[in-house]
Amino acid sequence: MIDKLRAICLDMDGTILRHDNTISDQTLRMIQAWRQQGVRVFIVTGRSLKELYDAAPADIELDGFVTSNGMISYISKEKVAEYELDRAIVEDVIELAREDQIYYEVHPNDHHRWTLQEDYAFMKQMIDRDKPEEVGIHEWLDREAAMAGDINWPETYPPYKVAKLYCFTNEQEKMQAWIQRLQQLKQTADFTTSSSSPHNVEVMAEGINKATGVQVLLEHYQISPEHTLAMGDSNNDIPMMHYVGHPVAMKNATEEIKRISKEITTATNDEEGVYHYLQQLLHGTEKGQGVNTVRE
């Protein structure tokens, strides 16, 4: 039971996004139905704002966004908080990624993602292979799109603020070894890591995560975490799920997410699990059961 629901936080990949990187029309309509009830709806994602709009309709109406796992928060499309990853950390991670042949993308706060030109060859070789069975289709399609033109390839480090580094490899064991190498780097540098699949890890500023981004939005709207619902599927959602009063795991979520959630959807992201859960919740609300919404 959820009392006085005032905000809903929705992850993207594995949650509102299907594996073909699309959001169903039913889900989009359901988001607006909840907003019409006076409930604020936020997207909270590891994606940058550009990556968010690569999948979401350009005219989508929401009350706020948290991007890059908390590094930047927006009210509507206006930036209200941002953090920057130290340049020395970015340079160190790039150097190590080159040594270990780890695919990487640097995501600036306000510019296009980039990778240094000298690293193009080994990254292209990795993505030109057939998709390994264990790699998620949406993650692989994103990498193919990136290599096909969605990455800039400068010769030298551009003078942009950096929100995060995204690192990928198609081998799970290699990714685990890479994460351990990043842990070693943490002994001399302050940064946070977060993974949304066994094949990736993202590097962000120390102490920043989805929960800190959500906190910015809730404080702006003067909403308590206790009156907030969040839906997610991956381990980068863990801070957010701990922070809100009502965490809901997708049917396709990791076991860690399921353990800390109060409910689990009966359908996966490909089966429009968010739509079905929110539709049932709204139906109960309209009958005066289960949820009390609060208008601003």
Side-chain angles (χ1 to χ4, degrees), residues 48-195:
S48 65
L49 191 64
K50 180 191 179 302
E51 289 179 300
L52 186 157
Y53 279 106
D54 285 344
D59 60 351
I60 189 171
E61 295 184 16
L62 291 159
D63 298 289
F65 305 90
V66 174
T67 63
S68 300
N69 286 321
M71 291 291 286
I72 309 176
S73 298
Y74 302 83
I75 299 298
S76 296
K77 293 183 182 180
E78 181 181 351
K79 189 186 299 180
V80 293
E82 71 173 324
Y83 300 89
E84 178 183 357
L85 190 58
D86 186 87
R87 174 168 176 154
I89 293 173
V90 177
E91 292 176 343
D92 287 345
V93 173
I94 289 174
E95 182 178 351
L96 294 176
R98 184 176 299 125
E99 290 177 7
D100 289 0
Q101 301 283 279
I102 298 292
Y103 175 108
Y104 71 91
E105 300 169 0
V106 182
H107 290 251
N109 290 23
D110 298 304
H111 296 84
H112 203 77
R113 58 183 160 173
W114 58 268
T115 303
L116 290 176
Q117 190 179 96
E118 65 182 288
D119 298 319
Y120 176 83
F122 82 81
M123 288 173 51
K124 186 176 189 302
Q125 185 178 26
M126 180 189 300
I127 305 305
D128 276 352
R129 303 172 185 172
D130 292 335
K131 183 189 83 67
E133 184 176 348
E134 66 272 16
V135 176
I137 183 63
H138 70 277
E139 190 164 30
W140 190 256
L141 289 174
D142 281 346
R143 304 291 71 75
E144 287 185 330
M147 295 301 299
D150 283 354
I151 295 179
N152 288 341
W153 300 92
E155 293 184 8
T156 59
Y157 193 118
Y160 306 144
K161 293 180 180 179
V162 172
K164 69 172 186 178
L165 279 93
Y166 168 89
C167 304
F168 170 85
T169 177
N170 49 18
E171 301 174 29
Q172 290 190 32
E173 290 184 4
K174 187 173 182 178
M175 176 51 61
Q176 289 305 309
W178 171 244
I179 290 173
Q180 290 303 312
R181 191 158 196 201
L182 291 177
Q183 292 296 328
Q184 294 173 4
L185 182 60
K186 281 184 182 182
Q187 296 176 14
T188 57
D190 293 329
F191 60 90
T192 294
T193 56
S194 179
S195 296

Side-chain angles (χ1 to χ4, degrees), residues 194-259:
S194 179
S195 296
S196 59
S197 89
H199 294 273
N200 72 47
V201 66
E202 295 181 321
V203 177
M204 300 155 296
E206 175 66 19
I208 304 303
N209 53 52
K210 287 190 175 185
T212 60
V214 170
Q215 182 179 5
V216 170
L217 302 187
L218 295 186
E219 288 179 351
H220 174 86
Y221 288 112
Q222 297 183 321
I223 297 173
S224 167
E226 179 184 356
H227 300 149
T228 303
L229 178 151
M231 301 184 71
D233 73 303
S234 299
N235 289 356
N236 65 338
D237 295 316
I238 288 175
M240 174 175 70
M241 305 300 255
H242 279 304
Y243 180 66
V244 303
H246 199 87
V248 178
M250 297 298 294
K251 182 179 180 180
N252 51 283
T254 66
E255 290 305 314
E256 290 89 341
I257 291 292
K258 290 178 179 177
R259 279 197 296 269

